[in-house]
Amino acid sequence: MKINRKKTRRINVGSVPIGDGAPVAIQSMTTTDTRDIEATVSQIESLATVGCEIIRLAVVDMEAAEAVGKIRLRSPIPIVADIHFDYHLALKVLDGAIDAVRINPGNIGNQNKVRAIVDRCRDRGIPIRIGVNAGSLENDLLERYGHPTPEAMVESALGHVHLLEKENFHDIKISLKASNVPDTIDAYTLMSERCDYPLHIGVSEAGPLLSGTVKSSVGLGYLLANGIGDTIRVSLAADPAEEVKVAWGILKSLGLRSRGVNIIACPTCGRLEIDVVGIAQRVEERLAHISETMDVSILGCVVNGIGEGKEADLGIAGGQGVGIYFENGEVVKKIKDVEIEEFIIAKVEERVEKMRKEGIDPNANPLKNGLPMHPAMGGAR
């Protein structure tokens, strides 16, 4: 399948390009109190380690606004300040180090207040994200449409866009999120037809880890497969690190990005003679720190395992007390089944060390199934 991404305008959030064919960037949001600088920096660093590329911070008052600039100076990734209603907070964060602001111009106040923010953003080259959520639409739109329809969300967003365009400002990206997957898909599809601004896609308030992952994967996967989306956030009621991991999983499954170890494991069945589920889960967790691209198979059937995992860089097919270790589809040696977990981890780390010594680009390896890959992979900036 070839994904033809829609051509959108290019903006830059710090060092991360958004739109116009740039790799789909992964975002999350801190759960710490922004006023707690140490805790917030620590969480940002942890999220960057698992592949977060842009982070958003809630700016609830002037103390938080003052903290943002200090946090940005220590952050390894660009920061977006999330601001509602009070334009003074936007002006404050724009006085310091910041990479983007998220506002709804319509709830900031009169056009003079919007102009003050736009002028400051223009002077500093800072883009603005317009964020529309189904749960917070303007009353007049709700009265006219009856409920938060995709059409109402798009009209709201375009109204906010118009306020910025009146000031001749175009460094904009747009989000239109709903917790309902079909509405989210329809809203982004309609917006994609109506403008060429880059789109930040997500399913709002998707839910806990399991159900939220399903909803986000279906909604964002559909949009991305149809070429819609320049940056994404998976919104989960869970540790934000899980948001980043799921986002990477969605992009990797579509062949849009590549990062880290991809575990290929067979489903459970009555023929399994090794603990495929336990081994696969533990290996994935223990190798989560690796950013180099690699396919690793952990399969429970010696007869079919090598064939099923032949596209992997390396792997194990286990059964009847023995594991068959293979590389690039070729059998290398037999090992005891009790050694499988430690053996496969050691082999992965050995290969990663070799890649680093030889200066091999860790994230530019094309997927072996022929899916199209963007030339800038992984932590591309």
Side-chain angles (χ1 to χ4, degrees):
M1 180 180 76
K2 188 178 188 304
I3 296 176
N4 295 311
R5 295 180 61 197
K6 178 178 177 180
K7 183 175 177 57
T8 54
R9 302 187 188 201
R10 170 67 60 88
I11 66 169
N12 291 286
V13 178
S15 57
V16 179
I18 305 293
D20 191 28
V24 179
I26 293 175
Q27 304 191 27
S28 186
M29 191 169 184
T30 54
T31 57
T32 56
D33 185 334
T34 304
R35 294 164 292 196
D36 187 339
I37 294 173
E38 294 302 323
T40 302
V41 169
S42 177
Q43 186 173 64
I44 293 172
E45 291 173 340
S46 296
L47 292 172
T49 299
V50 295
C52 184
E53 298 171 307
I54 299 172
I55 191 71
R56 182 157 51 106
L57 276 60
V59 181
V60 297
D61 58 20
M62 195 57 71
E63 183 182 353
E66 292 172 349
V68 167
K70 298 174 183 177
I71 293 168
R72 179 62 189 98
L73 294 175
R74 297 171 56 185
S75 173
I77 56 178
I79 286 178
V80 179
D82 188 271
I83 295 166
H84 293 278
F85 306 113
D86 189 349
Y87 88 110
H88 293 100
L89 299 180
L91 295 179
K92 185 62 180 180
V93 299
L94 288 165
D95 280 339
I98 195 67
D99 300 289
V101 292
R102 187 268 199 184
I103 63 171
N104 284 347
N107 71 28
I108 286 295
N110 61 44
Q111 190 67 23
N112 288 333
K113 294 179 179 179
V114 173
R115 183 177 300 119
I117 296 173
V118 168
D119 287 345
R120 194 74 58 88
C121 287
R122 183 186 294 109
D123 290 343
R124 300 200 53 204
I126 302 297
I128 294 174
R129 171 185 157 194
I130 292 173
V132 172
N133 286 340
S136 57
L137 287 181
E138 297 92 323
N139 289 331
D140 63 320
L141 289 175
L142 290 176
E143 290 177 6
R144 183 149 31 102
Y145 285 94
H147 64 96
T149 65
E151 292 78 10
M153 294 170 64
V154 169
E155 185 172 336
S156 175
L158 290 176
H160 295 310
V161 167
H162 179 63
L163 293 176
L164 299 185
E165 290 179 334
K166 281 177 64 176
E167 303 301 327
N168 196 30
F169 187 85
H170 303 280
D171 286 341
I172 301 167
K173 64 176 174 176
I174 303 171
S175 66
L176 310 108
K177 297 183 180 181
S179 60
N180 178 286
V181 173
D183 283 350
T184 298
I185 290 173
D186 288 346
Y188 278 112
T189 301
L190 181 59
M191 180 58 78
S192 180
E193 296 169 352
R194 298 281 297 275
C195 75
D196 65 351
Y197 288 113
L199 298 179
H200 168 85
I201 63 174
V203 177
S204 181
E205 301 154 349
L209 182 57
L210 177 58
S211 58
T213 295
V214 172
K215 289 170 68 175
S216 296
S217 298
V218 171
L220 302 189
Y222 179 92
L223 289 168
L224 291 164
N226 283 279
I228 298 172
D230 301 285
T231 175
I232 69 172
R233 180 196 175 189
V234 174
S235 300
L236 300 176
D239 186 327
E242 298 300 329
E243 296 185 350
V244 177
K245 293 174 185 177
V246 173
W248 272 110
I250 293 171
L251 293 179
K252 289 195 293 185
S253 69
L254 290 169
L256 289 169
R257 299 290 300 273
S258 180
R259 183 185 192 276
V261 176
N262 175 44
I263 301 294
I264 299 168
C266 53
T268 57
C269 78
R271 292 192 299 272
L272 295 182
E273 295 183 279
I274 63 170
D275 179 20
V276 170
V277 174
I279 294 172
Q281 289 178 344
R282 291 191 297 272
V283 168
E284 185 172 55
E285 290 171 2
R286 293 177 63 181
L287 297 177
H289 64 285
I290 293 174
S291 62
E292 282 77 5
T293 299
M294 193 180 309
D295 289 339
V296 176
S297 290
I298 299 173
L299 304 165
C301 178
V302 174
V303 176
N304 295 325
I306 297 174
E308 292 172 352
K310 66 180 180 180
E311 300 298 328
D313 294 291
L314 52 88
I316 290 285
Q320 296 183 346
V322 68
I324 305 297
Y325 172 66
F326 53 91
E327 295 182 357
N328 303 317
E330 300 294 330
V331 174
V332 177
K333 64 180 297 186
K334 293 182 180 180
I335 60 172
K336 296 178 180 178
D337 59 355
V338 294
E339 300 173 347
I340 287 176
E341 182 176 333
E342 298 301 326
F343 184 88
I344 201 71
I345 288 172
K347 285 296 182 181
V348 170
E349 292 177 340
E350 178 183 305
R351 179 170 287 219
V352 168
E353 183 179 358
K354 181 179 180 182
M355 291 170 69
R356 292 173 180 172
K357 285 183 177 179
E358 295 179 355
I360 298 173
D361 185 342
N363 297 306
N365 298 330
L367 289 183
K368 298 178 182 61
N369 57 13
L371 288 174
M373 303 294 288
H374 191 281
M377 286 297 170
R381 289 290 181 263

